[in-house]
Amino acid sequence: MPLASLIRLLLLAALWGGSYLSMRIAVPALGALPTAGARVLLGALGLALLVGLQRVPLRFDGKGRAALALGLVNSGVPFAMYALAAQVLPAGYSAILNAMTPLMGVLLGSLFFGERATASKLLGLCMGLAGVAVLMRTGPLPLDAAALWAVAACLVATLCYGLAGYLTQRWIGQRGGLDSRLVALGSQCGAVAMLLPLAAGSLWLQPLPLAALTPTVAIALLALGLLCTAWAYVLYFRLIADVGALKALTVTFLIPLFGVLWGWLLLGEAVGWAHVAGGGLIALALWLVLRPSTP
């Protein structure tokens, strides 16, 4: 991989790993749905600014509704799920669980999209689930009902991410394609349409004092929307253009490392052998799923 692409890969992993840190800071102060709503709104504004500065023609060629609908699956539901999980789970846990995304893609592809599930991929899926079990049973977080619901929310998010890949191919790719920046912008707008009413309803039911928006929370929220969402999308699509989709997916291996690192370094989250064992099993599962198939 060229040096410039490797730097983008590491930066992307650091940003996406940092999203869990930002949520752990913002969610306790603002609530889960307001945080998710602010994230997609800031992400959409950042992408709109990018599209404007780069003078990308706003021609969706009949795929605008598809891009909006894609946003519900690719951003709306997952961002809400991770924000809900951030009420309970440390940043490192959520980052490790996010690595289940390609494994969920294998499961959905074999069940609903006619993809052949090889023995290697099925073994990877089983190992990934074993990694989740090891992390939850032996990690420092108490295994109670709240933790189990939070893990379930993260797994729902990974299912949505896995589904979004197939829907993007069906709704966008097979219909002639669309500029990736417009896909990203349209999907964020769709997520805004879903999450802003929910965020507004949450704030109406439980108003927040202005004092809740401290400088630390404001910085975390801005980083979550503008850096971890808008800029990260730009880096990801550039990486795909430079090195291809398969190599770009190697970012999945690095996100848990940064998620655990930021949580330990900035929030003092405990790190133990459970992270190594559970994360290691999931990483091995990813290798089995993502490695190129031999003829």
Side-chain angles (χ1 to χ4, degrees):
M1 184 179 294
L3 179 59
S5 297
L6 180 60
I7 292 173
R8 291 190 187 98
L9 180 73
L10 292 173
L11 184 56
L12 179 62
L15 288 172
W16 274 344
S19 67
Y20 305 102
L21 167 71
S22 296
M23 282 187 282
R24 283 289 286 174
I25 295 172
V27 166
L30 305 178
L33 292 177
T35 298
R39 177 181 185 177
V40 295
L41 179 60
L42 289 169
L45 291 174
L47 287 164
L49 179 62
L50 170 73
V51 167
L53 290 175
Q54 295 186 345
R55 298 184 179 181
V56 180
L58 292 176
R59 291 197 296 267
F60 286 87
D61 299 327
K63 306 178 191 72
R65 290 184 181 178
L68 290 172
L70 188 62
L72 306 183
V73 181
N74 194 50
S75 296
V77 175
F79 288 178
M81 292 296 102
Y82 277 123
L84 289 168
Q87 298 175 113
V88 178
L89 294 185
Y93 273 64
S94 294
I96 290 173
L97 291 170
N98 180 71
M100 290 291 294
T101 295
L103 307 181
M104 293 301 186
V106 168
L107 178 64
L108 292 170
S110 61
L111 289 177
F112 303 109
F113 294 93
E115 289 205 354
R116 187 171 65 91
T118 64
S120 175
K121 290 182 178 180
L122 291 176
L123 177 61
L125 178 61
C126 293
M127 290 186 66
L129 294 174
V132 173
V134 167
L135 179 66
M136 295 309 301
R137 289 299 296 259
T138 62
L141 186 71
L143 186 61
D144 55 17
L148 290 176
W149 278 113
V151 170
C154 289
L155 294 180
V156 168
T158 61
L159 271 171
C160 288
Y161 285 146
L163 177 61
Y166 291 104
L167 294 182
T168 301
Q169 183 179 6
R170 177 170 294 184
W171 293 350
I172 305 295
Q174 293 178 3
R175 294 176 56 196
L178 186 65
D179 190 302
S180 59
R181 293 163 294 185
L182 294 181
V183 176
L185 176 60
S187 67
Q188 287 303 294
C189 290
V192 167
M194 170 191 167
L195 287 176
L196 274 194
L198 296 176
S202 175
L203 291 173
W204 182 74
L205 291 172
Q206 189 174 359
L208 292 173
L210 189 60
L213 193 63
T214 64
T216 300
V217 171
I219 290 171
L221 204 56
L222 288 171
L224 184 62
L226 297 178
L227 299 181
C228 303
T229 305
W231 190 23
Y233 268 118
V234 176
L235 285 173
Y236 182 58
F237 288 126
R238 175 63 186 271
L239 198 62
I240 290 176
D242 289 345
V243 301
L246 185 61
K247 288 185 178 179
L249 276 178
T250 56
V251 71
T252 315
F253 290 91
L254 300 173
I255 291 172
L257 298 178
F258 281 101
V260 171
L261 174 64
W262 298 143
W264 170 75
L265 190 64
L266 299 175
L267 296 180
E269 293 180 354
V271 178
W273 286 107
H275 293 81
V276 177
L281 280 172
I282 293 174
L284 183 56
L286 287 175
W287 177 78
L288 288 170
V289 168
L290 296 178
R291 65 176 181 170
S293 301
T294 55

